[in-house]
Amino acid sequence: MSNEELAYDFSPLIKVYKDGRVERLRGTDIVPPSTDPKTGVQSKDVVISQEPAISARLYIPKSSTATTTKSASQTKLPLLIYFHGGGFCIRSSSSPTHHNYLNALVSDANVVAVSVDYRLVPEHPLPAAYDDSWAALKWVASHSDGNGSEDWINRFADFQRVFFAGNSAGANITHNMAVKLGCEGLVGVKLIGIVLVHPYFWGTEPVGAELTTPAAAREYMAGVWRFACPSTSGSDDPLINPAKDPKLGKLGCEKVLVCVAEKDVLKDRGWHYSETLKKSGWNGAVEVIEAAGEGHSFHLEDPTCDNAVAMEKKIVAFLN
């Protein structure tokens, strides 16, 4: 057998060879935590768990460091827990795109952020990323009494104003963590809202304009999910198709913002999610905003374009 024989080819994300070799085609570059020269946002990396290996990058805005000399009763800031995208198989909390995005968002929204670094497939098939994300949330929650291991969270985070957000596969994780929180609770945490940017949901039956989506694109979306979650029942697994989840109405937050992009193959899933959520018995408020003429994750590729700036403003308002 030639060592060039492919077992899986999900270009432009990842290739896996029959000899077990994994080739990530993008999303492998990393940047260290820093004090961002443009915004003054500080970041640092923390280990949440050694085994399994779970870490996070924490961010605090310039405003919090300016007030560090004040008493402990200083104004606390909303707490944003962020889950990066990348098809469950690429990128990390150290990826430049996500790092730069969070520097800007933390500065503009004046929030504390925790960017979760979960284990990736195929080395760690789902549900590893979900398990890691929940473990990270429990670790964050351990600071709600002000006595956690991480000083920044103890001092600056308001646990009565917690938000989850993510893009693509990270938006999928965001949704599933909010359902789990709604069903099981998370002591000390009041989840106000979640932001789903270009969420990776799918389903066996086409919705909206998916009827005209090329078969190859539909198969790619279904295939990435089967690759990420080998134990899945398929594209109607509630983890990838919330419309099939009897627990959807238990979503554990008061409001949801869904961001979709006109030219994204996943666009109609975002709209469908909103419609399904409204009928689920959940009594919160959901809003969808659509960026005209844009593709998947456009805001990470070109964060200063008009549509990205408009989306950022909307998210900032949602977090405040």
Side-chain angles (χ1 to χ4, degrees), residues 156-178:
F156 303 126
D158 182 352
F159 279 86
Q160 294 303 300
R161 290 186 292 162
V162 177
F163 296 85
F164 300 167
N167 76 291
S168 197
N172 174 298
I173 294 173
T174 297
H175 157 76
N176 282 301
M177 292 304 101

mmCIF file of all heavy atoms in Angstrom, residues 156-178:
data_model
loop_
_atom_site.group_PDB
_atom_site.id
_atom_site.type_symbol
_atom_site.label_atom_id
_atom_site.label_comp_id
_atom_site.label_asym_id
_atom_site.label_seq_id
_atom_site.Cartn_x
_atom_site.Cartn_y
_atom_site.Cartn_z
ATOM 1 N N PHE A 156 -12.641 39.621 37.902
ATOM 2 C CA PHE A 156 -13.285 40.465 36.887
ATOM 3 C C PHE A 156 -14.597 39.916 36.311
ATOM 4 O O PHE A 156 -15.346 40.664 35.692
ATOM 5 C CB PHE A 156 -12.310 40.733 35.730
ATOM 6 C CG PHE A 156 -11.018 41.366 36.172
ATOM 7 C CD1 PHE A 156 -9.796 40.783 35.844
ATOM 8 C CD2 PHE A 156 -11.013 42.542 36.917
ATOM 9 C CE1 PHE A 156 -8.597 41.368 36.251
ATOM 10 C CE2 PHE A 156 -9.826 43.131 37.323
ATOM 11 C CZ PHE A 156 -8.615 42.541 36.988
ATOM 12 N N ALA A 157 -14.873 38.616 36.486
ATOM 13 C CA ALA A 157 -16.020 38.009 35.794
ATOM 14 C C ALA A 157 -17.302 38.089 36.617
ATOM 15 O O ALA A 157 -17.320 37.735 37.798
ATOM 16 C CB ALA A 157 -15.708 36.556 35.460
ATOM 17 N N ASP A 158 -18.369 38.528 35.962
ATOM 18 C CA ASP A 158 -19.700 38.582 36.569
ATOM 19 C C ASP A 158 -20.464 37.318 36.178
ATOM 20 O O ASP A 158 -20.877 37.167 35.027
ATOM 21 C CB ASP A 158 -20.450 39.828 36.074
ATOM 22 C CG ASP A 158 -21.821 39.981 36.706
ATOM 23 O OD1 ASP A 158 -22.270 39.050 37.411
ATOM 24 O OD2 ASP A 158 -22.457 41.033 36.477
ATOM 25 N N PHE A 159 -20.664 36.423 37.139
ATOM 26 C CA PHE A 159 -21.289 35.137 36.838
ATOM 27 C C PHE A 159 -22.806 35.218 36.706
ATOM 28 O O PHE A 159 -23.459 34.217 36.408
ATOM 29 C CB PHE A 159 -20.869 34.091 37.879
ATOM 30 C CG PHE A 159 -19.513 33.512 37.590
ATOM 31 C CD1 PHE A 159 -18.354 34.144 38.049
ATOM 32 C CD2 PHE A 159 -19.378 32.376 36.815
ATOM 33 C CE1 PHE A 159 -17.101 33.629 37.749
ATOM 34 C CE2 PHE A 159 -18.128 31.856 36.516
ATOM 35 C CZ PHE A 159 -16.987 32.486 36.980
ATOM 36 N N GLN A 160 -23.340 36.417 36.906
ATOM 37 C CA GLN A 160 -24.760 36.643 36.615
ATOM 38 C C GLN A 160 -24.962 37.114 35.167
ATOM 39 O O GLN A 160 -26.090 37.292 34.716
ATOM 40 C CB GLN A 160 -25.343 37.692 37.575
ATOM 41 C CG GLN A 160 -25.383 37.218 39.023
ATOM 42 C CD GLN A 160 -26.170 35.922 39.175
ATOM 43 O OE1 GLN A 160 -27.354 35.865 38.851
ATOM 44 N NE2 GLN A 160 -25.509 34.869 39.640
ATOM 45 N N ARG A 161 -23.849 37.325 34.453
ATOM 46 C CA ARG A 161 -23.914 37.777 33.053
ATOM 47 C C ARG A 161 -22.940 36.959 32.218
ATOM 48 O O ARG A 161 -21.883 37.423 31.819
ATOM 49 C CB ARG A 161 -23.575 39.270 32.946
ATOM 50 C CG ARG A 161 -24.632 40.196 33.528
ATOM 51 C CD ARG A 161 -24.296 41.656 33.247
ATOM 52 N NE ARG A 161 -23.103 42.092 33.981
ATOM 53 C CZ ARG A 161 -22.397 43.182 33.670
ATOM 54 N NH1 ARG A 161 -22.741 43.929 32.634
ATOM 55 N NH2 ARG A 161 -21.344 43.517 34.399
ATOM 56 N N VAL A 162 -23.321 35.697 31.976
ATOM 57 C CA VAL A 162 -22.460 34.779 31.237
ATOM 58 C C VAL A 162 -23.034 34.561 29.835
ATOM 59 O O VAL A 162 -24.252 34.467 29.661
ATOM 60 C CB VAL A 162 -22.320 33.432 31.982
ATOM 61 C CG1 VAL A 162 -21.481 32.433 31.172
ATOM 62 C CG2 VAL A 162 -21.692 33.659 33.363
ATOM 63 N N PHE A 163 -22.142 34.526 28.853
ATOM 64 C CA PHE A 163 -22.516 34.291 27.457
ATOM 65 C C PHE A 163 -21.609 33.210 26.880
ATOM 66 O O PHE A 163 -20.438 33.124 27.248
ATOM 67 C CB PHE A 163 -22.350 35.573 26.622
ATOM 68 C CG PHE A 163 -23.269 36.691 27.040
ATOM 69 C CD1 PHE A 163 -22.915 37.541 28.081
ATOM 70 C CD2 PHE A 163 -24.485 36.889 26.395
ATOM 71 C CE1 PHE A 163 -23.758 38.574 28.482
ATOM 72 C CE2 PHE A 163 -25.332 37.920 26.782
ATOM 73 C CZ PHE A 163 -24.968 38.760 27.829
ATOM 74 N N PHE A 164 -22.159 32.399 25.969
ATOM 75 C CA PHE A 164 -21.356 31.471 25.174
ATOM 76 C C PHE A 164 -21.395 31.966 23.732
ATOM 77 O O PHE A 164 -22.417 32.480 23.273
ATOM 78 C CB PHE A 164 -21.917 30.037 25.171
ATOM 79 C CG PHE A 164 -22.029 29.368 26.511
ATOM 80 C CD1 PHE A 164 -22.774 28.197 26.636
ATOM 81 C CD2 PHE A 164 -21.405 29.876 27.647
ATOM 82 C CE1 PHE A 164 -22.891 27.547 27.860
ATOM 83 C CE2 PHE A 164 -21.519 29.236 28.875
ATOM 84 C CZ PHE A 164 -22.270 28.060 28.974
ATOM 85 N N ALA A 165 -20.295 31.768 22.997
ATOM 86 C CA ALA A 165 -20.279 32.104 21.572
ATOM 87 C C ALA A 165 -19.301 31.186 20.855
ATOM 88 O O ALA A 165 -18.365 30.650 21.457
ATOM 89 C CB ALA A 165 -19.868 33.566 21.359
ATOM 90 N N GLY A 166 -19.539 31.025 19.540
ATOM 91 C CA GLY A 166 -18.621 30.241 18.732
ATOM 92 C C GLY A 166 -18.976 30.383 17.276
ATOM 93 O O GLY A 166 -20.066 30.858 16.929
ATOM 94 N N ASN A 167 -18.039 29.994 16.400
ATOM 95 C CA ASN A 167 -18.317 30.032 14.974
ATOM 96 C C ASN A 167 -18.205 28.637 14.385
ATOM 97 O O ASN A 167 -17.369 27.838 14.818
ATOM 98 C CB ASN A 167 -17.375 31.004 14.243
ATOM 99 C CG ASN A 167 -15.986 30.441 14.064
ATOM 100 O OD1 ASN A 167 -15.256 30.275 15.037
ATOM 101 N ND2 ASN A 167 -15.598 30.130 12.836
ATOM 102 N N SER A 168 -19.086 28.328 13.437
ATOM 103 C CA SER A 168 -19.055 27.077 12.699
ATOM 104 C C SER A 168 -19.187 25.870 13.644
ATOM 105 O O SER A 168 -20.178 25.770 14.364
ATOM 106 C CB SER A 168 -17.787 27.020 11.841
ATOM 107 O OG SER A 168 -17.885 26.048 10.847
ATOM 108 N N ALA A 169 -18.199 24.973 13.683
ATOM 109 C CA ALA A 169 -18.262 23.858 14.635
ATOM 110 C C ALA A 169 -18.299 24.377 16.075
ATOM 111 O O ALA A 169 -18.910 23.754 16.952
ATOM 112 C CB ALA A 169 -17.062 22.935 14.443
ATOM 113 N N GLY A 170 -17.659 25.530 16.312
ATOM 114 C CA GLY A 170 -17.695 26.135 17.643
ATOM 115 C C GLY A 170 -19.086 26.630 18.021
ATOM 116 O O GLY A 170 -19.466 26.625 19.200
ATOM 117 N N ALA A 171 -19.875 27.038 17.016
ATOM 118 C CA ALA A 171 -21.267 27.415 17.270
ATOM 119 C C ALA A 171 -22.102 26.179 17.589
ATOM 120 O O ALA A 171 -23.015 26.227 18.411
ATOM 121 C CB ALA A 171 -21.844 28.160 16.072
ATOM 122 N N ASN A 172 -21.785 25.063 16.933
ATOM 123 C CA ASN A 172 -22.431 23.792 17.254
ATOM 124 C C ASN A 172 -22.156 23.426 18.724
ATOM 125 O O ASN A 172 -23.080 23.065 19.468
ATOM 126 C CB ASN A 172 -21.904 22.706 16.303
ATOM 127 C CG ASN A 172 -22.399 21.315 16.648
ATOM 128 O OD1 ASN A 172 -22.129 20.788 17.725
ATOM 129 N ND2 ASN A 172 -23.127 20.695 15.727
ATOM 130 N N ILE A 173 -20.894 23.542 19.143
ATOM 131 C CA ILE A 173 -20.542 23.259 20.540
ATOM 132 C C ILE A 173 -21.290 24.213 21.472
ATOM 133 O O ILE A 173 -21.844 23.797 22.498
ATOM 134 C CB ILE A 173 -19.017 23.371 20.751
ATOM 135 C CG1 ILE A 173 -18.282 22.267 19.980
ATOM 136 C CG2 ILE A 173 -18.675 23.295 22.249
ATOM 137 C CD1 ILE A 173 -16.764 22.403 19.982
ATOM 138 N N THR A 174 -21.319 25.493 21.110
ATOM 139 C CA THR A 174 -22.003 26.506 21.915
ATOM 140 C C THR A 174 -23.455 26.104 22.172
ATOM 141 O O THR A 174 -23.925 26.112 23.319
ATOM 142 C CB THR A 174 -21.966 27.868 21.186
ATOM 143 O OG1 THR A 174 -20.606 28.291 21.058
ATOM 144 C CG2 THR A 174 -22.755 28.932 21.929
ATOM 145 N N HIS A 175 -24.158 25.751 21.103
ATOM 146 C CA HIS A 175 -25.554 25.332 21.240
ATOM 147 C C HIS A 175 -25.680 24.109 22.147
ATOM 148 O O HIS A 175 -26.510 24.078 23.067
ATOM 149 C CB HIS A 175 -26.156 25.016 19.867
ATOM 150 C CG HIS A 175 -27.335 24.103 19.949
ATOM 151 N ND1 HIS A 175 -28.573 24.537 20.360
ATOM 152 C CD2 HIS A 175 -27.447 22.763 19.742
ATOM 153 C CE1 HIS A 175 -29.405 23.506 20.398
ATOM 154 N NE2 HIS A 175 -28.750 22.424 20.016
ATOM 155 N N ASN A 176 -24.848 23.100 21.897
ATOM 156 C CA ASN A 176 -24.969 21.858 22.665
ATOM 157 C C ASN A 176 -24.618 22.053 24.138
ATOM 158 O O ASN A 176 -25.219 21.409 25.007
ATOM 159 C CB ASN A 176 -24.135 20.750 22.008
ATOM 160 C CG ASN A 176 -24.846 20.156 20.793
ATOM 161 O OD1 ASN A 176 -25.950 19.642 20.909
ATOM 162 N ND2 ASN A 176 -24.232 20.257 19.618
ATOM 163 N N MET A 177 -23.680 22.959 24.425
ATOM 164 C CA MET A 177 -23.368 23.269 25.833
ATOM 165 C C MET A 177 -24.542 23.999 26.503
ATOM 166 O O MET A 177 -24.825 23.770 27.686
ATOM 167 C CB MET A 177 -22.102 24.118 25.925
ATOM 168 C CG MET A 177 -20.819 23.405 25.517
ATOM 169 S SD MET A 177 -20.484 21.862 26.429
ATOM 170 C CE MET A 177 -21.023 20.626 25.230
ATOM 171 N N ALA A 178 -25.231 24.854 25.748
ATOM 172 C CA ALA A 178 -26.375 25.581 26.315
ATOM 173 C C ALA A 178 -27.544 24.629 26.594
ATOM 174 O O ALA A 178 -28.275 24.804 27.580
ATOM 175 C CB ALA A 178 -26.805 26.705 25.375
#
